[in-house]
Amino acid sequence: MRFISTRGLAEPLGFSDAVATGLAPDGGLFLPETLPDLSAQWAQWAGLGYAELCYEFIKLFATDISPDTLREIVRKSYQHFDHAQTAPLVALDSSTYVLELFHGPTLAFKDFAMQLLGNLYEHQCAQRGESINVLGATSGDTGAAAIHALLGKPGTAIFILYPDGRVSPLQERQMTCTGADNVFALAIDGSFDDAQAALKTIFGDTAFRLKNRLSAVNSINLARVLAQCVYYLYAWLQLPSEARERAEFVVPTGNFGNVLAGWLLRRMGVPIPGFKVATNQNDILYRLFTTGEYRVAEVQPSLAPSMDIQVASNFERFLYYQLGSDAAKVREVMAACAKDGVYRFEDFDRSAFSASRCTDAEIPEIIARVRRRYGYLVDPHTACAFKELSPEKVSVVLATASPTKFPETIGEAIGAEPKHPRLEVLGKLPIVKHRLPASVKAITDFVEAHAV
């Protein structure tokens, strides 16, 4: 299988090269040249364990990796999750389910993709005899998951940009207290969008990228999105058949990558009825799916910091399909968004989506309400998904992080702070971070000085 850029000006690549490259050289995002049709296949996968289902799905795309090697890569990727089902589906009542995606090494949904991506990188380094330098930006959980996927792996170094003072204290400690020599946590001035903009500029410098063997770990990397498709399929296959027909996945999201993964699965022939995009007060996606207008606003720090985003990079992949796979039109729209910060879609298919928005004032109230009604504790991001559940549908809420990662907000909501032994240890370890301005030069100078 070959992978093409959404902007149409880059050479198609095989799976491993697309993963290693991350951002396409023309500034676009990689997508499969043709999506597989799963309409006659998905039913055969019911009953598979998580790792086996992941293998069956990913092998449709990773056609340049031998089946035995890929199976071992996938097996390793999910061996450190602390629940036997990896992604358990919990029924709160007959029409409300929670898909728990926080049983991985860093207690957040990003582990599902990052553990796989880290092992793919390790395989590539060993196979090609080359080192790799991974660069990413995070609003919270991505950075920790990426770092823990590459801890101590030979031939790798990882550089994670994050907005200084705008991630939770525990999220920062997960990135800065590893003690690993190949990890560099870069605390930058500004917002996540500033970090992401710098990252895209750096990856657009082909000479620098090639010289330093850079690869992207953000959800601009196609392997991230494909890995996330799997838990939608795993959860949907566990629903009773009558529930499948009314299922709506309710997805806390800021960068659109998480909900895009589910929508791509639907495009491959899995008949998932729909998705609800649940945003915090940084509501660019809510406004997009309720008005058809994409308008960038200023980022407001919130109690759900991983969604403090106003430039949803994965929207470009969705846009590619919305525009009939017209790469020239994608370039036109993305240029307009970059220039003016706004684009109004005249013919925008929102039929698979609904949307909701949650403010900081509402988050503690929702946490308390969910606890009272179901006896179930949710983190601030997952709380946003509980803002509006449709009574006519079967809601499958994606629980994107453990509530133990946000003890202050949970404490405010229910009067007690949850704890996790793994996180308690972090408080005793020294923080090692590197403060930098959000400038391309400062970041590239640092990367060049520490690249392997």
Side-chain angles (χ1 to χ4, degrees):
M1 179 178 283
R2 301 196 309 169
F3 297 82
I4 57 173
S5 170
T6 50
R7 302 191 186 183
L9 301 178
E11 287 294 317
L13 299 177
F15 177 79
S16 295
D17 286 331
V19 169
T21 303
L23 186 70
D26 61 358
L29 305 181
F30 285 113
L31 280 169
E33 197 166 35
T34 304
L35 289 173
D37 182 0
L38 304 180
S39 56
Q41 196 167 8
W42 59 261
Q44 302 169 22
W45 291 340
L48 292 180
Y50 192 90
E52 188 63 20
L53 178 63
C54 183
Y55 164 73
E56 292 292 340
F57 181 78
I58 297 296
K59 78 176 183 181
L60 301 175
F61 304 91
T63 54
D64 57 357
I65 300 176
S66 74
D68 287 346
T69 299
L70 182 62
R71 190 187 294 274
E72 178 60 16
I73 288 171
V74 172
R75 185 197 67 78
K76 286 171 56 180
S77 300
Y78 299 105
Q79 67 181 350
H80 297 302
F81 282 64
D82 62 11
H83 195 285
Q85 291 180 279
T86 308
L89 185 66
V90 178
L92 300 186
D93 60 28
S94 60
S95 63
T96 309
Y97 293 79
V98 175
L99 178 59
E100 292 187 345
L101 300 175
F102 51 75
H103 294 285
T106 67
L107 310 179
F109 81 101
K110 303 294 178 72
D111 288 321
F112 282 85
M114 288 301 185
Q115 288 292 306
L116 179 63
L117 187 57
N119 286 316
L120 287 169
Y121 282 145
E122 183 178 37
H123 166 69
Q124 290 177 7
C125 289
Q127 185 181 54
R128 300 179 181 189
E130 297 176 348
S131 59
I132 193 167
N133 294 289
V134 176
L135 177 63
T138 187
S139 54
D141 289 328
T142 294
I147 284 169
H148 284 262
L150 287 168
L151 278 179
K153 288 193 182 295
T156 69
I158 181 165
F159 303 84
I160 293 295
L161 312 172
Y162 70 94
D164 198 17
R166 297 196 186 189
V167 300
S168 81
L170 283 174
Q171 285 173 323
E172 182 175 51
R173 283 192 167 274
Q174 285 185 310
M175 292 187 284
T176 60
C177 298
T178 67
D181 293 336
N182 69 330
V183 170
F184 301 93
L186 309 181
I188 67 155
D189 300 328
S191 69
F192 166 77
D193 288 335
D194 296 325
Q196 185 165 253
L199 180 142
K200 284 197 168 185
T201 300
I202 293 167
F203 275 99
D205 184 343
T206 303
F208 181 84
R209 178 175 58 81
L210 293 176
K211 176 186 175 185
N212 291 281
R213 300 171 305 284
L214 284 189
S215 189
V217 77
N218 281 58
S219 54
I220 58 176
N221 195 304
L222 180 66
R224 285 273 312 276
V225 178
L226 294 178
Q228 289 173 244
C229 292
V230 178
Y231 51 67
Y232 284 92
L233 183 55
Y234 184 70
W236 193 73
L237 288 171
Q238 292 183 65
L239 290 172
S241 57
E242 65 277 8
R244 291 177 189 167
E245 299 171 2
R246 296 190 295 123
E248 180 177 67
F249 282 90
V250 189
V251 189
T253 189
N255 211 11
F256 199 66
N258 199 6
V259 72
L260 174 74
W263 182 80
L264 282 178
L265 199 63
R266 171 183 158 116
R267 195 172 179 90
M268 295 178 210
V270 179
I272 297 172
F275 306 88
K276 175 168 281 185
V277 173
T279 75
N280 65 4
Q281 59 198 26
N282 294 290
D283 59 354
I284 186 169
L285 294 176
Y286 169 78
R287 289 181 279 115
L288 171 67
F289 284 104
T290 53
T291 69
E293 182 177 82
Y294 184 95
R295 180 180 291 273
V296 176
E298 186 175 347
V299 174
Q300 306 173 56
S302 80
L303 296 177
S306 294
M307 300 196 296
D308 288 349
I309 296 167
Q310 284 288 337
V311 181
S313 64
N314 259 286
F315 176 64
E316 183 169 339
R317 286 189 170 110
F318 179 69
L319 181 65
Y320 176 81
Y321 293 111
Q322 284 282 302
L323 299 176
S325 304
D326 184 341
K329 184 65 174 176
V330 172
R331 295 196 299 272
E332 177 188 324
V333 173
M334 295 308 296
C337 289
K339 178 177 179 290
D340 304 321
V342 60
Y343 191 86
R344 178 78 189 185
F345 294 91
E346 299 302 327
D347 186 17
F348 185 54
D349 181 10
R350 291 171 269 163
S351 58
F353 293 94
S354 60
S356 62
R357 176 186 186 273
C358 189
T359 66
D360 264 14
E362 293 171 305
I363 287 175
E365 297 173 4
I366 294 171
I367 292 171
R369 170 167 56 83
V370 172
R371 180 64 177 269
R372 285 194 305 270
R373 180 171 181 177
Y374 300 112
Y376 191 85
L377 190 60
V378 297
D379 82 288
H381 306 80
T382 307
C384 294
F386 275 92
K387 168 74 179 291
E388 298 171 7
L389 299 182
S390 171
E392 293 83 29
K393 297 176 181 177
V394 173
S395 297
V396 182
V397 175
L398 271 60
T400 55
S402 167
T404 59
K405 297 186 74 169
F406 305 91
E408 295 86 0
T409 303
I410 301 299
E412 177 189 346
I414 67 170
E417 295 188 0
K419 299 185 183 298
H420 193 289
R422 205 180 304 164
L423 299 177
E424 292 293 298
V425 172
L426 289 177
K428 303 171 185 177
L429 301 175
I431 290 176
V432 179
K433 65 180 181 179
H434 309 271
R435 290 187 173 89
L436 294 177
S439 76
V440 170
K441 186 177 187 309
I443 295 164
T444 54
D445 285 350
F446 188 95
V447 169
E448 197 150 30
H450 297 88
V452 295

